[in-house]
Amino acid sequence: VELSCLGASITKLLMPNYANDGASLDDVVLSYASPLEQYDDKNAPYFGCIVGRVANRIRQGRFDLEQRELGETVSYQLDRNNGANHLHGGYDGFGYRVWEAEIVEEDERRALRFTLTSPDGDQG
């Protein structure tokens, strides 16, 4: 497995190729040749990365949020990076950011933890 801090992306995952009795390993992840290529292309297809702040499209890049305790509705306008729509967090979504990476050891197992701070009001 290969991971990248750019977008907390999965860049490579080798799996046995059972078409030839598992004798070889094939990469099953759609990804760029390098993190630099991913960065330069702005990862337009969102290969292997964390999307967000939202996943999917928000029509017209706008939504209303009801605040019941205040008895009012607040409208939010987000950037529109997919025609008239907001897609996967917009121009500065989580898939374009550099995440912090930390190796975590627990119960004799190792893992990688990605973290990103997104303050209140970030992206709308």
Side-chain angles (χ1 to χ4, degrees):
V1 175
E2 287 184 10
L3 306 168
S4 170
C5 291
L6 180 58
S9 301
I10 299 172
T11 57
K12 182 183 276 188
L13 177 62
L14 298 177
M15 299 294 293
N17 182 337
Y18 291 106
N20 63 4
D21 299 323
S24 65
L25 298 175
D26 291 332
D27 185 3
V28 296
V29 173
L30 289 174
S31 65
Y32 289 90
S34 71
L36 180 59
E37 186 179 319
Q38 178 181 344
Y39 177 82
D40 287 343
D41 189 48
K42 302 277 190 220
N43 197 4
Y46 299 92
F47 286 155
C49 70
I50 299 293
V51 298
R53 169 163 307 248
V54 296
N56 214 338
R57 288 172 181 80
I58 296 178
R59 184 173 171 247
Q60 301 295 316
R62 184 177 184 278
F63 69 95
D64 298 328
L65 187 62
E66 182 181 346
Q67 295 184 342
R68 293 181 187 159
E69 66 279 358
L70 299 176
E72 62 183 39
T73 299
V74 177
S75 295
Y76 292 90
Q77 181 64 56
L78 307 172
D79 60 335
R80 294 186 243 183
N81 64 321
N82 180 247
N85 304 309
H86 177 87
L87 179 66
H88 297 329
Y91 291 112
D92 189 30
F94 295 165
Y96 303 122
R97 297 192 185 177
V98 177
W99 293 58
E100 295 290 325
E102 171 188 13
I103 296 174
V104 179
E105 295 191 38
E106 203 170 285
D107 298 327
E108 298 184 28
R109 290 189 276 181
R110 297 179 81 186
L112 187 65
R113 176 184 298 145
F114 286 111
T115 56
L116 177 73
T117 300
S118 178
D120 184 30
D122 182 21
Q123 301 179 14

